[in-house]
Structures are given as C-alpha cells and as structure tokens.
Amino acid sequence: MRLIIMGAPGAGKGTHADIISKKLLIPHISTGDIFRSNIKNGTQLGVIAKEYMDKGLLVPDEITIGIVKNRLMEDDCKQGFLLDGFPRTIPQAEYLDKALAELDMKLDHVINLNVSDDEVVKRISSRRVCATCGMIFNTVNSPTKVEGICDACQGSVVQRADDAESTVRERLNVYHMQTAPLVNYYSTKGIVFEIPDIDGIEGKTELIFGLLGIA
Ligand code: AMP
C-alpha cells in the first residue's frame, strides 16, 4: 500500500506512521527524521536543514524533493511506503504525482489526523523523543519508565529543539498556510481518510486500520 499521513505538528503522525508501517511491513519515510539524522551526523544537508527547522520554517522544496526522490528509488519501496511529513507544499505534492506516474505507481490513501491548535501546543510541550532511536514519549500520557531514559534502547530522552512553544506557533502558521491546502488537493482525488481527534492512540489506530481494511 502507498500511503501519506498528514496533520499539524503534534497530531501524532510519527506515532501512527510507526504503528501502520509495522503492521503493513512497509517503510516509514519521515522527512523530519531524515533531516534530524543528518543534523545529528553533522552533514552538509543537516547544517542547511537546521537553519530552517530551528525557526519553525520549511526546508526549501528543491532540497526536500531531492531527498524523497532518492529514497523512493530504494528497493524496499517497491512493495509500498508510508510518507510522514511529505508532501508539505503543493509543489512537493505535484512532484510526488509526477514521480509516481513515472514509476507506474499511484497513491492509495491519505490519512489526515485532525487536531486543534490549542491541543497541538498542549501536546507538543509535553512531547519527548529518544535522541538515539527516535521513540516518542509524552510526559503526561506515555512517560518513560525511568525519567529521561528511553524504554526501548536506554538512550537519552529529550525535548526537540523545534518543540519550544514559540517555534510550535510558527510551525502551526506554516502548516495552515502551506500544508493544510494539501487536504483539498487530495480530497479532489477522493483518497483522503479524515481521522477525528478522539481520545487515545488505540482508538485512532483501530479507526485507521478499519478504514484501510487491515483490521
Ligand atoms: P516533522 O518531524 O515532520 O514535524 O518535521 C520537522 C521539521 O522538518 C519541519 O518543521 C520542517 O522544518 C522540516 N521538514 C520536514 N518535512 C518537510 C517537508 N516535507 N518539507 C519541508 N520541510 C520539512
């Protein structure tokens, strides 16, 4: 299956993408994770991406598209993929359409996670992430067993630099201006599943699995 997961920052894209990709045995491709890993490894791409990410802005399309292009050409994408955080602009979506058409592939579904701005700010301020394996925690509803230590790999669990409240507000502005219009773009193709912000991860997972027919 070829899927996109969309939603405002903090909507739970990473969490649900992980669950869905494991269930379907398809690669979870997160452009945010690719940028963060480049920042961690001190690559040239990481240096450029950090400048934008720290301000809550989008990394320019030509850079982001190049990365996704290379990733989609890898063998593991032949059986499907789940894109998380891409596309985020209309030009990125148009590129994706073109690239998939060239590969004689098409998107199956777009999963749109709905969440209010107030909830985003509340949720992101309590979000923590493992600096080693990327596992996501929340100090309120899914804390680590030992404070600051990852349950899965014992790495350090920290707050992302771009999860500071002022940066989150900027990311929300960018989301409403540049990314939200993509819901319409894909709705006209009739492939969007709207997921309401019901309580708990499990309820949403069940709903998504049901819609995808993989329950
Ligand atoms: P995420 O982890 O998906 O919330 O992404 C974190 C940050 O990485 C975003 O706020 C952007 O600065 C950058 N980023 C991730 N995906 C994209 C994309 N498709 N286009 C441009 N910038 C992106």
Side-chain angles (χ1 to χ4, degrees):
M1 220 180 286
R2 295 178 199 101
L3 304 170
I4 293 176
I5 192 157
M6 285 188 58
K13 297 188 296 293
T15 303
H16 287 286
D18 244 6
I19 298 171
I20 300 163
S21 61
K22 282 187 180 129
K23 173 89 174 171
L24 288 172
L25 301 175
I26 53 175
H28 166 195
I29 303 171
S30 156
T31 39
D33 283 351
I34 294 173
F35 290 137
R36 278 184 289 278
S37 121
N38 274 275
I39 292 173
K40 197 169 147 198
N41 295 327
T43 68
Q44 201 184 350
L45 168 66
V47 173
I48 299 170
K50 191 173 183 325
E51 262 184 57
Y52 294 91
M53 289 169 77
D54 282 355
K55 293 183 191 133
L57 301 175
L58 295 185
V59 178
D61 282 345
E62 58 274 20
I63 297 175
T64 311
I65 286 171
I67 286 164
V68 174
K69 201 172 192 171
N70 290 335
R71 183 64 187 87
L72 287 179
M73 275 158 47
E74 286 179 34
D75 269 358
D76 63 345
C77 291
K78 287 197 178 124
Q79 305 310 318
F81 50 78
L82 171 51
L83 288 169
D84 159 12
F86 183 93
R88 256 177 157 101
T89 63
I90 296 283
Q92 289 182 11
E94 288 171 346
Y95 153 73
L96 184 62
D97 279 349
K98 202 169 130 235
L100 291 177
E102 278 166 17
L103 294 166
D104 204 19
M105 291 177 175
K106 68 174 191 54
L107 281 173
D108 293 297
H109 303 290
V110 173
I111 299 160
N112 186 36
L113 301 174
N114 288 278
V115 61
S116 71
D117 285 7
D118 284 348
E119 180 62 25
V120 164
V121 174
K122 201 168 98 192
R123 226 181 259 181
I124 288 194
S125 59
S126 55
R127 175 160 76 181
R128 299 293 181 272
V129 60
C130 174
T132 307
C133 74
M135 190 160 175
I136 299 163
F137 298 91
N138 185 293
T139 55
V140 180
N141 50 33
S142 57
T144 51
K145 290 191 185 110
V146 178
E147 204 186 325
I149 305 290
C150 177
D151 293 356
C153 78
Q154 320 302 311
S156 303
V157 172
V158 295
Q159 184 173 41
R160 269 169 49 176
D162 59 347
D163 279 353
E165 186 172 334
S166 58
T167 316
V168 171
R169 298 252 176 227
E170 182 56 33
R171 287 165 67 198
L172 273 169
N173 282 339
V174 168
Y175 170 76
H176 288 300
M177 281 183 336
Q178 292 181 266
T179 307
L182 288 180
V183 178
N184 247 344
Y185 179 91
Y186 288 116
S187 289
T188 58
K189 299 176 192 281
I191 57 170
V192 178
F193 288 142
E194 293 287 356
I195 310 300
D197 192 23
I198 52 173
D199 265 352
I201 293 170
E202 277 168 26
K204 266 178 264 185
T205 301
E206 208 175 301
L207 183 60
I208 295 169
F209 281 8
L211 289 165
L212 294 176
I214 54 170

